[in-house]
Amino acid sequence: MSRSAHPAGPRYADVLPEGHYSPPPADLNALDPKVWARTVTRDEDGVVTVGGIAVTELAERFGTPAYVLDEADFRARARAWRTAFGNDADVFYAGKAFLSRAVVRWLDEEGLNLDVCSGTELATALSAGMPAERIAFHGNNKSETEIHRAVEAGVGRIVLDSFQEIVRVAHIAQSLGKRQKAQIRITVGVEAHTHEFIATAHEDQKFGIPLAGGQAAEAVRRALQLDGIELIGIHSHIGSQIFDMSGFEVAAHRVVRLLKEIRDEHGIELPEIDLGGGLGIAYTSDDDPREPHEIAKALNEIVTRECEAARLRTPRISVEPGRAVVGPTAFTLYEVGTIKPLEGLRTYVSVDGGMSDNIRTALYDAEYSVALVSRASDAAPMLVRVVGKHCESGDIVVKDAFLPADLAPGDLIAVPATGAYCRSMASNYNHALRPPVVAVADGEARVIVRRETEEDLLRLDVG
Ligand SMILES: *Cc1c(COP(=O)(O)O)cnc(C)c1O
């Protein structure tokens, strides 16, 4: 199809209420290093490369859509977290963001620990050789089978999430002749998302045991009475995609206050606190995430100060970044199928994937950026909405972005910062075959999670 086969889309200035959207970037060919994996560049021919490989070659070899993961970037980010927190703290990668055996091996090699929240995530971690003592097991409704498996494997900690679970874990551990290390997850009355946090009097959510009304203190009392549990600390996770440290400040203050109450009541100082994950990344150029060393410094200062004020020994801190490690390291590569300019509105660009490989836009109204990657273009910016191929009008990948007006079917476009919560939340809606994850490093590409096949799907359908 020739590039002039469709009318150019409306110019943003014609259709957008002033000040409502960011204007188009000065150079549509530029790749903002904030949102793209570190080895991503555009070569002299205008083709984008990652890990030294052109996306056109990746599309040819592995097909589209595909998640392309920059291994060097993943390792560098994992290492940055590890180094920032040092030997007196632990970094647990939140496996739910994206878990595969290759990732587990990289984490192991880079010295990170791992959070899992299901028996199958645990099985994945163990099968890739992650030492059980470096695994933490999360979840608000772990089954007895899952708990049994975790205790038997010897996981480093189970994060207790309810009164029933305290008893369940203690019972299972005892039946196995073990004493399971555990933390109690509490809700501190703080919820943080992106640029704001809300401090509430009580928590209206399924996770954790509320500090309010003395419930968390009661959970501690019960756990301390049970032989099957060795209570090692308190856990708090306040939200996701957080840029502002003040939510952590309030959370740390309240967690330390509980530690002090525990010391006063029971005469023990719990040795650990976990402040959870949720650190934000840049999905668009408007986001300004903090570096791991800044976050480590801020959290260490907050906890040390709070503990000094409470006259407590500073506990060992742990954090659980998921998105902030893997999110920026991958992009989704799509092929453009159809282009539909809607006069006076915007241009709909349909790609060969959609909400089955990235549910975040539909689910959370998430923002993403997008770029033409198979070639450079000097054409004027065109306001687009990138949509998928699913039977659902909410099937949107990128709500508002600019692509060159000469965009044509067959072009490759890529959505950056899709390393977290995209493959891990992918679905088979419309019997979509979930895309592969292709890891690239030093001019080599390899599939670490293969594309699903029709056979995979039909095998489940036992008819
Ligand atoms: C989801 C989650 C994380 C990771 O969150 P990110 O936003 O990916 O950093 C960490 N800890 C717990 C308990 C979680 O539920």
Side-chain angles (χ1 to χ4, degrees):
M1 191 181 215
S2 92
R3 277 187 195 149
S4 54
H6 58 87
R11 287 179 310 131
Y12 83 102
D14 299 338
V15 295
L16 296 177
E18 201 165 338
H20 196 63
Y21 296 91
S22 317
D27 177 6
L28 283 182
N29 296 314
L31 300 164
D32 184 347
K34 267 203 298 191
V35 300
W36 292 92
R38 283 178 208 190
T39 70
V40 170
T41 58
R42 201 181 278 277
D43 70 18
E44 295 136 21
D45 304 332
V47 180
V48 169
T49 70
V50 54
I53 309 181
V55 292
T56 41
E57 182 189 331
L58 292 171
E60 223 171 270
R61 282 174 61 190
F62 305 106
T64 54
Y67 304 103
V68 181
L69 197 159
D70 181 343
E71 179 183 341
D73 192 18
F74 184 98
R75 287 177 178 274
R77 286 176 199 273
R79 206 174 308 136
W81 278 90
R82 190 74 205 89
T83 311
F85 279 87
N87 292 329
D88 298 329
D90 297 302
V91 180
F92 286 77
Y93 169 80
K96 69 182 190 201
F98 172 64
L99 193 66
S100 78
R101 291 195 267 200
V103 159
V104 173
R105 284 185 207 107
W106 300 338
L107 292 166
D108 187 9
E109 285 164 20
E110 300 300 341
L112 272 71
N113 296 355
L114 178 63
D115 273 0
V116 297
C117 49
S118 71
T120 19
E121 284 187 358
L122 176 62
T124 305
L126 293 172
S127 80
M130 178 60 83
E133 63 272 16
R134 281 167 51 201
I135 299 175
F137 190 28
H138 277 271
N140 67 303
N141 188 18
K142 310 168 189 79
S143 73
E144 296 205 356
T145 311
E146 287 174 319
I147 295 170
H148 195 277
R149 194 170 186 179
V151 175
E152 201 167 37
V155 298
R157 63 166 86 140
I158 291 183
V159 182
L160 303 167
D161 197 275
S162 67
F163 284 93
Q164 286 93 349
E165 196 173 83
I166 293 171
V167 177
R168 255 175 228 157
V169 169
H171 181 77
I172 291 170
Q174 243 181 333
S175 76
L176 289 168
K178 293 197 173 198
R179 197 151 185 256
Q180 177 61 51
K181 284 193 173 139
Q183 294 185 337
I184 292 177
R185 178 163 173 179
I186 67 167
T187 43
V188 293
V190 170
E191 211 185 309
H193 295 286
T194 313
H195 299 288
E196 33 181 356
F197 79 95
I198 311 160
T200 50
H202 66 280
E203 278 290 43
D204 189 359
Q205 61 146 311
K206 71 169 186 169
F207 291 111
I209 300 176
L211 200 51
Q215 290 195 62
E218 178 58 22
V220 169
R221 241 168 253 137
R222 294 200 198 169
L224 288 174
Q225 282 167 7
L226 295 166
D227 291 336
I229 288 177
E230 179 188 349
L231 187 63
I232 56 168
I234 299 296
H235 182 285
S236 153
H237 171 75
I238 57 171
S240 58
Q241 187 59 0
I242 305 166
F243 294 101
D244 178 351
M245 299 303 284
S246 50
F248 286 103
E249 189 139 10
V250 178
H253 175 75
R254 293 182 183 175
V255 168
V256 171
R257 196 173 58 197
L258 178 63
L259 291 182
K260 181 170 176 291
E261 285 167 19
I262 294 167
R263 193 239 355 242
D264 294 347
E265 183 180 340
H266 306 281
I268 54 164
E269 294 193 22
L270 295 182
E272 294 181 12
I273 66 172
D274 190 305
L275 293 171
L279 288 315
I281 63 164
Y283 285 103
T284 73
S285 296
D286 295 336
D287 296 324
D288 284 303
R290 297 187 177 212
E291 294 294 325
H293 67 90
E294 297 174 276
I295 294 161
K297 184 163 176 283
L299 291 181
N300 279 322
E301 275 172 14
I302 293 166
V303 173
T304 307
R305 191 181 63 227
E306 294 293 333
C307 287
E308 271 168 15
R311 295 177 194 284
L312 284 167
R313 268 194 304 275
T314 306
R316 187 174 179 87
I317 298 175
S318 51
V319 288
E320 306 175 312
R323 184 193 321 265
V325 177
V326 70
T329 69
F331 59 81
T332 314
L333 189 60
Y334 297 107
E335 185 178 303
V336 173
T338 63
I339 297 168
K340 199 181 280 183
L342 296 186
E343 204 46 56
L345 293 169
R346 70 184 86 244
T347 296
Y348 279 78
V349 174
S350 296
V351 294
D352 48 358
M355 65 193 296
S356 56
D357 58 71
N358 187 348
I359 191 65
R360 293 191 64 259
T361 307
L363 194 59
Y364 313 118
D365 220 16
E367 296 201 346
Y368 281 96
S369 36
V370 62
L372 171 61
V373 290
S374 48
R375 62 184 172 90
S377 166
D378 295 328
M382 158 175 83
L383 178 71
V384 300
R385 176 161 287 178
V386 179
V387 295
K389 60 182 289 167
H390 297 288
C391 301
E392 166 71 58
S393 53
D395 173 24
I396 297 168
V397 181
V398 185
K399 265 186 303 182
D400 295 294
F402 293 93
L403 283 170
D406 65 350
L407 191 75
D411 278 335
L412 298 176
I413 61 176
V415 175
T418 57
Y421 305 107
C422 287
R423 180 59 180 79
S424 68
M425 286 183 155
S427 78
N428 293 118
Y429 183 43
N430 293 139
H431 287 199
L433 303 170
R434 288 178 296 173
V437 181
V438 178
V440 294
D442 304 322
E444 308 254 334
R446 70 185 168 112
V447 173
I448 60 171
V449 179
R450 75 159 165 79
R451 185 185 303 282
E452 266 174 339
T453 62
E454 225 167 88
E455 262 165 32
D456 289 332
L457 284 198
L458 289 175
R459 210 176 297 145
L460 298 176
D461 184 342
V462 294

